[in-house]
Amino acid sequence: MYGEIKIAPSILSANFMRMGEDIAMIERSGADIVHVDVMDGHFVPNLTMGVPFVKDLNAIAKLPVDVHLMISNPLEELPWFIKVGAWSITVHYEAFEDPAAEIPQAIGMIHEAGIRACVSLKPDTPVEVLRPFIADLDMVLMMSVYPGFSGQSYIEGTEDRVAEVVALARELSCEVDIQVDGGIKESTVERVARAGADIFVMGSACFTADDPAQAMATVKKLARAAADGAL
């Protein structure tokens, strides 16, 4: 929330046949975080990386590993992901049958392991649902696309939802990072940065760029200028 601007390339858009090379590429190209989209084929209509992949990634990555769980049974699987390690773990509000009781439980499990705890909202989930536990979170992830596939276009109005998170955090006198995921590139990053986002997930805009380092640097520069102008 108007903190240090960070770029988190999503390796969902990387080449899975040369993942080690792509991880090394984003590290030397100025990335701040490695974003890992874990999908189970149930919560979202796609199937991607799992626990063994995250374990191996943690062994080779020099950057913080940000695990985004898009799975239907987070309380059951959280211990597995906690065991293999991460800098941050995100769970989806919509994945819980009883969010009021279960999300605090998930946050406690993550924090007990010394890992940053984050909750993500789909584009149609009201921001107000964060009120009971936002003060206990390290980060809120606002989806600017419907989760499941890379390469989607930014959903207009996400910046207004980011501003709602900022307003809620200020009302409750708490500090929280705000990450935005989906369609982030030069033409969209300024509006969400101005609204208060500070961590930006880049997928295809990074990995399909002719010069990924330049693409990330440009997005970070635009975001920083927009955030500075909003302060």
Side-chain angles (χ1 to χ4, degrees):
M1 192 172 77
Y2 295 117
E4 180 184 356
I5 298 297
K6 296 180 180 179
I7 302 297
S10 169
I11 57 175
L12 182 61
S13 296
N15 186 327
F16 278 45
M17 294 297 100
R18 60 179 195 194
M19 184 61 71
E21 296 173 38
D22 277 3
I23 295 296
M25 180 275 291
I26 62 172
E27 288 178 337
R28 64 175 179 266
S29 296
D32 301 289
I33 298 165
V34 180
H35 187 83
V36 185
D37 291 305
V38 176
M39 305 180 188
D40 63 359
H42 297 282
F43 182 69
V44 292
N46 197 2
L47 186 65
T48 60
M49 296 78 78
V51 173
F53 178 90
V54 174
K55 179 181 179 180
D56 290 344
L57 176 60
N58 269 300
I60 67 167
K62 297 181 177 66
L63 296 175
V65 175
D66 175 28
V67 179
H68 179 189
L69 297 180
M70 288 173 268
I71 59 178
S72 59
N73 56 340
L75 285 181
E76 294 176 30
E77 295 197 16
L78 260 176
W80 304 346
F81 286 97
I82 288 170
K83 184 177 180 179
V84 297
W87 168 75
S88 179
I89 295 180
T90 297
V91 292
H92 263 269
Y93 176 87
E94 304 86 0
F96 295 91
E97 292 184 6
D98 183 2
E102 294 174 339
I103 288 182
Q105 184 179 348
I107 294 170
M109 292 168 63
I110 297 168
H111 278 164
E112 187 176 349
I115 298 171
R116 286 164 47 95
C118 173
V119 167
S120 181
L121 301 183
K122 291 182 179 181
D124 53 1
T125 300
V127 169
E128 182 64 20
V129 301
L130 295 171
R131 179 177 290 275
F133 39 79
I134 190 172
D136 297 320
L137 294 174
D138 300 287
M139 182 169 72
V140 171
L141 169 54
M142 301 301 292
M143 294 300 301
S144 44
V145 297
Y146 284 93
F149 296 92
S150 63
Q152 298 183 67
S153 298
Y154 173 89
I155 294 176
E156 299 295 332
T158 300
E159 62 272 22
D160 297 330
R161 289 169 53 75
V162 170
E164 288 183 55
V165 177
V166 172
L168 180 61
R170 286 177 171 168
E171 177 189 341
L172 299 178
S173 301
C174 59
E175 288 287 335
V176 62
D177 289 333
I178 301 176
Q179 185 180 72
V180 179
D181 183 358
I184 295 299
K185 51 188 176 181
E186 292 180 28
S187 61
T188 58
V189 70
E190 290 178 283
R191 66 190 83 172
V192 284
R194 189 174 297 112
D198 36 33
I199 301 178
F200 304 92
V201 177
M202 292 179 66
S204 55
C206 170
F207 286 100
T208 64
D210 293 334
D211 186 342
Q214 183 60 51
M216 286 189 281
T218 299
V219 166
K220 182 179 282 190
K221 180 180 179 181
L222 290 170
R224 180 73 273 162
D228 288 346
L231 295 178

